[in-house]
Amino acid sequence: MNFNNILIGTDNAEAMVAYYTKLFGPPQFSEGGFSGWQFGEGFVSIGTHSEVHGRNEQPGRLIWNIEEADVRGTFEKLKAAGAIVVQEPYEMDGAPGYSIATLADPDGNYFQLTTPYEMAGMSGVGGADSGD
């Protein structure tokens, strides 16, 4: 299997697309009311969804992650571009060298910058070598 896309539904697509464009540059696609940015093999897409209204009341329910070798440096660039900061970079307990920074979008959805597992000396999660 290959991860393809996560769609972030909203009733405020224009503001959400403007926000993500500020952080990550122009979307790789924008058509039919949907816009998306590619990270590695997969896309994060924004689009209006009839069942979504207002802010996310449970932002920790689904958090998408971006692996980044320089979590602190990229965090600072995103913060300077206007990112909504939830948690500044920190190292996970029991995993020295593994950094996480949590950000949010205008609808209150969380996303994180994380150190690649390999750089932190951690084994793959859910991959072929994890036994899953």
Side-chain angles (χ1 to χ4, degrees), residues 45-118:
S45 302
I46 306 291
T48 300
H49 195 287
S50 63
E51 295 180 21
V52 177
H53 307 287
R55 290 183 53 79
N56 184 349
E57 296 299 323
Q58 295 180 314
R61 182 172 292 237
L62 178 88
I63 301 172
W64 59 278
N65 295 328
I66 302 169
E67 282 189 336
E68 174 55 56
D70 181 10
V71 169
R72 179 152 302 276
T74 300
F75 169 82
E76 292 300 333
K77 287 177 189 173
L78 295 177
K79 184 176 169 182
I84 300 165
V85 175
V86 175
Q87 175 69 50
E88 299 244 348
Y90 66 95
E91 284 193 1
M92 246 177 74
D93 291 339
Y98 184 72
S99 296
I100 300 174
T102 306
L103 305 157
D105 66 26
D107 279 5
N109 303 301
Y110 287 174
F111 63 99
Q112 296 178 315
L113 299 174
T114 66
T115 304
Y117 291 127
E118 302 80 34

Side-chain angles (χ1 to χ4, degrees), residues 21-39:
T21 298
K22 254 187 349 184
L23 301 185
F24 302 118
Q28 275 74 33
F29 74 86
S30 237
E31 58 186 67
F34 295 88
S35 296
W37 292 262
Q38 187 169 12
F39 297 96

